[in-house]
DNA sequence: ACCCCTCCCGAAAACGTTTTCGTGTTGAAA
DNA sequence: TTTCAACACGAAAACGTTTTCGGGAGGGGT
């Protein structure tokens, strides 16, 4: 008796199975994402069975497994990442916060981050602080709400000026790992990736000194930008180490990054330096253009070294010697450190933070001899 | 009898409440994110009550609302975005897929996208295809699994070469909006943001023709890159419209974007063009450097116009006249179109796709006269 | 005829929200 | 005293998964 009933049910199941096969297009709205529940309903099995079938669980018979998998493929089933994130408490997404993306250096860092992130199955969310403290805070607070697994960031100018890092400590205290790069601060304990700005500037300055130059000018940023300060210090130390006086008139600290041509022109015209060390590409290329305008030959009349081996330095005429700062490598390293911490979070070896220093090199081109 | 039991329970509850108040720091792990459930437990109310209190629901008494809000602030409660995404079926995240980020143009597009996305409460996921078809497909399939609300993309070279767009149609068929920009295809129906490459090239070429030049060279890409082809067509049409013969020897189609100096040098040396129109910045600046090396004065001996108003053109010596292609504006427009479609998806005005054309302009600098 | 083991499968909890609906208590009006 | 509204709150479903556990059916061995 039981058998008879069961047979009937089975036949009905097969019938409904075939029916659903034939009318699948009407029954499931192809426009929307298909879920386990829908497949389960169509096939008249439970959600668990569908899930297990798709994950090749040994609990499921060969028969139903194939049936489910065929259906899933037919409907182009893809598991819902959000649901998985909620369950696993992992989003497989990391966020990189940078001041500006149109700076070539930051673009190369993103490139590095993206590549190792992708290799490890992570996605990269990009946030721009626009050098604004508020945007940095807003972004971090927003994303800290479970949207991502960790941060990679470079401080905005305003944040460095204010020395207010509460948003970062807060995130770290909630157990979310943070890796800082380039523009970092000692006030925060976390993994960091930097270059030795001080040493790199020292070496560049010494390069000039070894050529016999005495009047070496420096075009730098205001001191609250951490890397600017470090590079200024390196320049100063190199001068002093070699018994050259540090002439304040030869040091130009630029605040307004939009309008500084006149200042550089005044520096070159009035001080007539033999060499210029600029802490970024834009300052360097501008100095070159102005020197040319003033009738100076490069590098015979004046030599110039920039910082950040970007696209401008390479394609400028004359091409610019620079301290190369490998953004890709920094990004890769930062991503590696972050992912390491995420994957090994069971070990919970907190407070064992590392600071990686990426090596720099002086790339000699046409602006020096 | 019942009353007595209830009283006892109430007293116990109050006791536990006070206890929890006093020992709250131990009881809730500050290190981890705090949830509604935890707050509810601590305060001995239901999850619903906590949720409503935090959202200032009128259903909740002033008393408990304040208590809950105070607690939430104390523990720095932030709602879990993933849970919200799952419930609302909206992630408030859009993805932009580009071939490479180190190209200044694409960086500016991201900048534009990010800004309007942020203004509207969206985050931006950046994916790099590295000009690879496979990476493009992988990225899209991965993200289509509910991680994001929509795509903004520019096709990889390989995808354009293969003319295989199944991954894009698939995503669109699942109801996820896609906006393409710059490198688009007619094979896909969706919103698009482009510039009139053909017309821009036509105008640049005509600029030369109006100056009286006859030998006008073109440095372009292989034809399967959509924008390269369009710009080549514009050049050709301008020549023909003005009764100038289109000399194949004056057209250089560059395939290998890493090693083309020799080809450009041969073109300039052997053909001695009066003017060169290059379809991107790199080709233009390389032509300038080579012309200089060959002893040609710019713009007296030879004039040059590039494409894409990027950082190189501005800082090159001499600075380069270019067809400006406003990446920021393209990004902004693309993001607006995508978000519009997302927010008005109830209206479901499918198939009403638009193609926005961003205007270009010829920016005259030192490489032309 | 009974027991046990294996094979398949379903129910339910969990992740963290929001929201609808139901319900108990209170006070006032009849 | 009864009735009804207002008020304050809780239970439960829902979003889409994964996974643990329990259990029914069937077969083989006594």
């Amino acid at each position: 008796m039981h058998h008879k009933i069961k047979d009937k049910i089975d036949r009905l199941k097969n019938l409904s199975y075939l029916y659903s096969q034939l009318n699948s297009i009407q029954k499931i709205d192809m426009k929307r994402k298909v879920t386990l529940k829908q497949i389960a309903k169509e096939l008249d099995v439970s959600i668990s069975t569908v899930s297990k079938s798709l994950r090749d669980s040994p609990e499921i018979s060969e028969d139903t497994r194939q049936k489910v998998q065929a259906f899933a493929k037919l409907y182009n089933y893809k598991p819902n990442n959000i649901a998985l994130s909620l369950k696993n408490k992992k989003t497989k997404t990391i966020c990189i916060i940078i001041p500006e993306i149109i700076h070539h250096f930051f673009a190369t860092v993103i490139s590095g981050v993206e590549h190792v992130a992708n290799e490890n199955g992570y996605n990269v969310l990009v946030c721009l602080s626009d050098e604004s403290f508020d945007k940095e805070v807003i972004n971090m607070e927003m994303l800290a709400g479970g949207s991502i697994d960790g941060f990679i960031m470079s401080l905005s100018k305003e944040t460095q000026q204010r020395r207010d890092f509460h948003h970062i400590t807060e995130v770290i205290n909630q157990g979310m790992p943070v890796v800082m790069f380039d523009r970092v601060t000692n006030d925060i304990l976390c993994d960091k990736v930097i270059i030795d700005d001080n040493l790199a500037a020292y070496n560049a300055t010494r390069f000039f000194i070894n050529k016999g130059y005495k009047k070496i000018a420096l075009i730098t940023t205001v001191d609250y930008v951490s890397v600017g300060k470090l590079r200024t210090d390196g320049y100063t130390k190199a001068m002093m180490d070699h018994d050259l006086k540090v002439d304040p008139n030869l040091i130009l600290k630029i605040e307004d990054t939009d309008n500084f041509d006149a200042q550089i022109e005044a520096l070159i015209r009035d001080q007539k330096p033999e060499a210029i060390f600029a802490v970024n590409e834009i300052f360097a290329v501008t100095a070159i253009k102005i020197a040319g305008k003033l009738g100076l030959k490069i590098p015979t009349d004046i030599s110039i070294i920039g910082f950040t081996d970007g696209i401008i330095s390479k394609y400028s005429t004359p091409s610019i010697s620079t301290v190369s700062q490998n953004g890709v490598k920094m990004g890769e390293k930062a991503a590696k450190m972050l992912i390491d911490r995420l994957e090994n979070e069971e070990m919970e070896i907190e407070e064992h933070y590392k600071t990686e220093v990426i090596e720099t090199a002086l790339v000699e081109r046409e602006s020096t001899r």
Side-chain angles (χ1 to χ4, degrees), chain A residues 125-254:
Chain A
L125 204 58
V126 171
C127 290
L128 311 181
S129 66
D130 282 333
E131 303 283 15
S132 143
F133 174 78
D134 287 335
K135 276 201 70 175
E136 197 176 286
V137 173
I138 301 264
N139 273 322
M140 286 197 82
E141 290 189 343
M142 167 140 224
L143 270 349
S147 307
I148 59 161
D149 294 343
F151 285 101
I152 293 175
M153 67 184 301
S154 190
L155 294 169
S156 81
K157 268 187 199 169
E158 207 186 341
T159 308
Q160 290 201 126
Q161 191 171 10
R162 291 202 192 187
R163 298 187 145 279
D164 181 349
F165 309 112
H166 77 274
H167 50 304
I168 307 178
T169 48
E170 199 168 275
V171 162
I172 294 178
N173 281 340
Q174 283 189 3
M176 185 169 292
V178 173
V179 176
M180 305 187 66
F181 73 92
D182 199 54
R183 297 202 206 150
V184 303
T185 174
N186 287 329
D187 295 3
I188 296 278
L189 287 179
C190 66
D191 291 316
K192 290 164 192 166
V193 181
I194 56 172
I195 62 168
D196 191 337
D197 286 285
N198 192 311
L199 180 62
Y202 185 94
N203 289 340
T205 310
R206 197 180 51 188
F207 174 87
F208 281 146
I209 295 173
N210 288 342
K211 295 286 182 185
Y213 301 139
K214 309 251 181 262
K215 290 188 69 171
I216 303 168
L218 171 70
I219 305 180
T220 184
T221 66
V222 284
D223 277 347
Y224 62 74
V225 178
S226 60
V227 293
K229 171 93 166 71
L230 289 169
R231 292 169 196 172
T232 303
D233 292 348
Y235 161 88
T236 308
K237 183 162 190 306
M239 295 296 275
M240 294 186 5
D241 279 1
H242 295 81
D243 301 322
L244 293 172
K245 86 170 167 45
V246 177
D247 182 356
N249 292 322
L250 284 175
I251 299 182
L252 175 58
K253 293 191 182 178
I254 290 175

Side-chain angles (χ1 to χ4, degrees), chain A residues 175 341 344-352:
Chain A
R341 214 165 262 285
N344 302 340
E345 73 179 339
E346 310 94 5
M347 317 185 63
E348 203 82 26
I349 24 168
E350 305 251 348
E351 304 303 326
H352 215 285

Side-chain angles (χ1 to χ4, degrees), chain A residues 13 16-29 34 36-45 50 71 75:
Chain A
K13 276 186 183 171
S16 102
Y17 167 70
L18 286 174
Y19 175 80
S20 67
Q21 278 276 28
L22 292 171
N23 295 279
S24 50
I25 291 140
Q26 280 91 16
K27 297 191 84 176
I28 288 191
D29 182 3
V34 54
L36 289 187
K37 195 194 283 190
Q38 292 172 33
I39 297 183
K41 201 174 180 184
E42 287 283 311
L43 255 40
D44 201 30
V45 293
V50 177
F71 237 79
Y75 286 135

Side-chain angles (χ1 to χ4, degrees), chain A residues 36 46-57 68:
Chain A
L36 289 187
S46 77
I47 298 181
S48 334
T49 304
V50 177
S51 176
K52 287 172 190 163
S53 299
L54 294 176
R55 322 198 103 247
D56 286 325
S57 160
V68 171

